[in-house]
Amino acid sequence: LDDEGGVDLEHLESRELLAAFGTPWPEPRELQISFPSDGVEVSNLTNEIETALDQIADRQAWQELVLRAYQTWAIHADINIGLRNDYDVGFGTPGLLTDDPRFGEFRIGASPQTGLLASSLPFQSVAGTYSGDLLLNSNESYVYHDWNDGDPDLTSWAELDRDLFSVLLHETGNTLGLGDSFLDWTVMYRQYTVPNGLLTPEDIAVMQAQY
């Protein structure tokens, strides 16, 4: 998700991987999320998700927010997504693209990035086990908000605060194979504008067409 303008490349390694969207995951009723610990290798960097998010919410709360983002999409398609323990091997470690016993298809982490709020990759064989990985930008300022309580009150937010759930909802859509949208009212719009924690009919239609 771009913070300043549309981009086509997802930064997950020292080289840039072109994200090829539109391919559904095999066996989508058996997908798993896992949370590698801080310090796990991410290319030439290390995972910092606990450091980045523990300061804004209880760890169980922000991990549940990630699961809720996936479930928000899953209820509109024939998908089931659960949790799996992560064995803390490096991101991109050679292994099975699906059902690897050491980690979930969707590994959630954070690392410093330039010009992006977050990056992620859909399922694609050329990416190996990087497929499905979602990396927040650990340099960004995220705000935890539970959308079950309604829209956020933005009067207390700083100019550069970004709603965590809005970012997660967009990026989880990417990991499920949905490409960015040019419709600025949708969750899948390619640039962060305002908090948007509710799927639009256009978002749902693309998801159902995919699965």
Side-chain angles (χ1 to χ4, degrees):
L1 184 61
D2 185 17
D3 198 19
E4 297 180 3
V7 294
D8 294 321
L9 296 175
E10 302 288 351
H11 300 275
L12 288 176
E13 303 186 71
S14 56
R15 64 186 176 89
E16 293 178 323
L17 293 175
L18 182 62
F21 297 99
T23 301
W25 281 84
E27 301 182 13
R29 293 191 59 80
E30 300 179 8
L31 299 172
Q32 305 284 331
I33 303 166
S34 66
F35 296 94
S37 302
D38 274 14
V40 171
E41 182 181 357
V42 184
S43 188
N44 60 336
L45 303 172
T46 56
N47 184 31
E48 301 175 349
I49 192 168
E50 294 166 355
T51 301
L53 299 186
D54 282 356
Q55 60 186 318
I56 67 169
D58 177 80
R59 188 171 300 177
Q60 181 176 344
W62 61 255
Q63 289 183 348
E64 288 178 351
L65 204 67
V66 175
L67 180 58
R68 190 185 306 168
Y70 276 104
Q71 290 175 336
T72 300
W73 291 106
I75 61 175
H76 296 289
D78 191 23
I79 295 175
N80 184 61
I81 300 174
L83 295 172
R84 169 171 284 174
N85 290 333
D86 198 289
Y87 281 67
D88 290 339
V89 296
F91 282 75
T93 295
L96 301 174
L97 272 65
T98 61
D99 202 30
D100 193 299
R102 300 168 297 172
F103 44 74
E105 285 78 14
F106 308 112
R107 302 184 80 192
I108 314 300
S111 65
Q113 301 174 56
T114 302
L116 299 174
L117 282 174
S119 58
S120 54
L121 276 178
F123 176 81
Q124 51 189 68
S125 58
V126 295
T129 64
Y130 277 117
S131 291
D133 289 355
L134 190 165
L135 293 172
L136 298 170
N137 184 348
S138 57
N139 290 330
E140 288 288 341
S141 176
Y142 298 104
V143 176
Y144 176 90
H145 173 72
D146 188 340
W147 282 76
N148 287 335
D149 298 330
D151 293 348
D153 178 6
L154 302 181
T155 58
S156 62
W157 290 28
E159 181 180 358
L160 295 179
D161 284 347
R162 299 292 183 258
D163 175 53
L164 178 61
F165 186 70
S166 299
V167 175
L168 289 172
L169 197 56
H170 176 97
E171 294 297 327
T172 54
N174 282 157
T175 66
L176 287 165
L178 307 186
D180 290 349
S181 167
F182 290 95
L183 305 177
D184 62 6
W185 62 88
T186 64
V187 162
M188 293 310 298
Y189 183 54
R190 64 190 307 168
Q191 183 176 352
Y192 185 99
T193 53
V194 296
N196 189 356
L198 300 173
L199 298 181
T200 66
E202 292 86 355
D203 293 311
I204 295 169
V206 173
M207 181 62 172
Q208 292 179 337
Q210 177 92 328
Y211 289 92

